[in-house]
Amino acid sequence: MLHSAALRRLSATTQVMRPDTDDFVRNRLTHSLEVAQIGREFAGMLGCNADVVDTACLAHDLGHPPFGHNGEATLAELSVDIGGFEGNAQTLRLLTRLEAKRFRDDGGSAGLNLTRASLDAATKYPWPLGGGPLPTRKFGVYADDQPAFDWLRQGAPPGRRCVEAQVMDWADDVAYSVHDVEDAVTGGLLDLRVLTSPEDLTDVFAVARDWYAPRLSDAELVGAAQRLLADGAVPLEHDGSRRALARLKDMTSRLIGRFVLAAHVGTRQEYGACPLVRYDADVLVPAPTRAECTLLKALAAHFVMLSGPRIALRKTEQDVVRDLVAAYRAAPEARLDAGLRADFDEASDDDARLRVVIDQVASLSDVRAWSLHERWCT
């Protein structure tokens, strides 16, 4: 996994703040490495296979297109007639088909040739479009990747994630809730004193419900803010000095430990001390801890992703994705990468050819997307 091209390209792909805005901020690669570190530790606490969880954590964002969820929504719109686009389904496609490492005896690509357990652990949404246990836009497999999905899910309860996938998912939530806030503070976009004023958090609470947890009340989110402030881990001043950066780093360490420990205790209280693997258990995160994590994610979303400059940029990014899809469709033989050009030549119809173009655009880093757009579309 560490040697895959798909993982390397994440170094030039936005996490929350653009990689070229500051040398401090995280990109998708550094985020994935941090998720893997948290996931390995949590897996060890629960008795999971740490290597399987590490692989899933490193893989979890491979399918993200340029510009993150903004690019994802645009590609979903452009591919609605061919089965849609979803970053997690694209991850499975990369792992089992698009990445170059092994080929099967029948001549087809086996992608990275991962084990069934590793693929299952990397599958956050183990169902096709519209097939989830609850209504959701999220899904984990396209129709033409169904054979690989059926293989990796052999013997699995329908719609249920293995415990290793749940460990990966919580490690992801913990990492980006804490680290995105750290990046926002160092970037001058977030003043953590806002946590002391429920009145100033009204818009943040709305984002928390709209984006992450519709049932969370204002009272629960106020309680989350109070708990986050109670032990003194959250610094209420930041001047960019080395001492201030150290206090901020101490906050991230303490919050990560707090969130992982709470999930460990909650899970162990239900299942006891035995090793927890595959479908023997579910990760149980106490509701107050989930509320604290959700509040941090909403802070980053409100003050960074929904800030005025970021909203203006979102429209431009959407136009870039649309223009690039059109550019590749206009001259596929000249513009597609070699491996995808072969897929295009073998495609049986226009829908299959569009899927190849979507694969191509989804594979771009932010940096390459901007560069190609400047070359072909301006």
Side-chain angles (χ1 to χ4, degrees):
M1 182 63 64
L2 278 173
H3 304 285
S4 67
L7 187 67
R8 289 196 298 274
R9 81 169 183 87
L10 296 182
S11 65
T13 302
T14 297
Q15 170 61 16
V16 169
M17 298 174 65
R18 284 176 56 177
D20 59 351
T21 58
D22 193 297
D23 288 336
F24 182 92
V25 301
R26 285 146 176 98
N27 54 54
R28 287 275 171 186
L29 175 58
T30 55
H31 163 71
S32 297
L33 295 173
E34 289 169 331
V35 172
Q37 183 183 43
I38 295 169
R40 284 193 73 94
E41 292 298 318
F42 190 22
M45 295 165 73
L46 295 182
C48 301
N49 185 308
D51 289 337
V52 167
V53 171
D54 183 76
T55 299
C57 290
L58 290 174
H60 83 282
D61 266 352
L62 293 184
H64 266 279
F67 317 128
H69 293 295
N70 195 29
E72 181 180 37
T74 306
L75 289 178
E77 172 192 313
L78 295 172
S79 59
V80 67
D81 293 331
I82 62 167
F85 179 89
E86 213 285 332
N88 295 279
Q90 195 69 18
T91 291
L92 179 63
R93 190 169 177 83
L94 280 161
L95 295 176
T96 61
R97 180 195 294 247
L98 297 181
E99 273 293 293
K101 183 175 182 181
R102 290 288 186 273
F103 275 75
R104 302 186 301 270
D105 291 341
D106 64 6
S109 173
L112 291 180
N113 198 36
L114 298 179
T115 64
R116 179 183 284 118
S118 294
L119 290 170
D120 199 16
T123 303
K124 189 182 292 190
Y125 305 106
W127 53 78
L129 176 64
L134 297 172
T136 177
R137 292 173 294 179
K138 297 291 187 180
F139 62 99
V141 58
Y142 303 124
D144 58 350
D145 295 322
Q146 191 70 41
F149 180 80
D150 291 342
W151 176 80
L152 73 93
R153 293 288 293 174
Q154 283 180 21
R160 184 180 173 193
R161 296 184 299 171
C162 63
V163 70
E164 292 86 356
Q166 296 177 54
V167 170
M168 173 270 287
D169 194 23
W170 183 238
D172 183 28
D173 270 6
V174 170
Y176 83 78
S177 68
V178 174
H179 293 143
D180 290 358
V181 164
E182 181 185 8
D183 285 354
V185 172
T186 61
L189 300 174
L190 171 61
D191 186 335
L192 288 173
R193 285 176 293 187
V194 70
L195 288 170
T196 67
S197 173
E199 294 79 12
D200 293 334
L201 287 170
T202 300
D203 290 341
V204 176
F205 293 167
V207 172
R209 282 188 288 270
D210 290 345
W211 285 37
Y212 304 114
R215 295 182 179 85
L216 273 181
S217 67
D218 279 9
E220 290 171 309
L221 289 163
V222 168
Q226 292 172 340
R227 290 190 301 275
L228 288 169
L229 293 170
D231 66 359
V234 176
L236 297 182
E237 295 181 357
H238 185 80
D239 60 8
S241 66
R242 187 175 290 114
R243 188 175 297 275
L245 287 168
R247 286 195 296 267
L248 197 61
K249 186 60 65 179
D250 182 63
M251 177 196 77
T252 66
S253 297
R254 290 168 66 176
L255 288 178
I256 289 169
R258 171 197 186 108
F259 291 162
V260 172
L261 180 61
H264 173 248
V265 170
T267 304
R268 287 300 188 191
Q269 285 176 343
E270 178 68 20
Y271 296 105
C274 61
L276 305 178
V277 298
R278 307 300 287 136
Y279 295 93
D280 292 342
D282 292 306
V283 172
L284 301 177
V285 182
T289 301
R290 282 204 181 274
E292 293 166 16
C293 185
T294 297
L295 177 58
L296 292 177
K297 290 190 290 186
L299 281 172
H302 176 70
F303 286 100
V304 181
M305 288 179 276
L306 295 176
S307 65
R310 186 69 183 90
I311 289 174
L313 180 61
R314 283 170 63 87
K315 175 61 168 61
T316 301
E317 291 174 345
Q318 292 164 6
D319 290 342
V320 168
V321 171
R322 291 191 187 95
D323 290 347
L324 287 173
V325 169
Y328 278 112
R329 296 187 79 178
E333 293 82 3
R335 289 172 173 168
L336 287 170
D337 292 346
L340 289 165
R341 188 163 60 249
D343 292 345
F344 189 90
D345 292 341
E346 295 169 5
S348 58
D349 55 30
D350 287 344
D351 285 357
R353 284 185 280 272
L354 176 56
R355 177 57 70 187
V356 175
V357 169
I358 296 295
D359 286 340
Q360 174 70 81
V361 175
S363 76
L364 303 176
S365 66
D366 292 20
V367 171
R368 190 174 177 211
W370 286 116
S371 175
L372 292 177
H373 188 266
E374 183 177 358
R375 187 190 314 170
W376 296 336
C377 308
T378 58

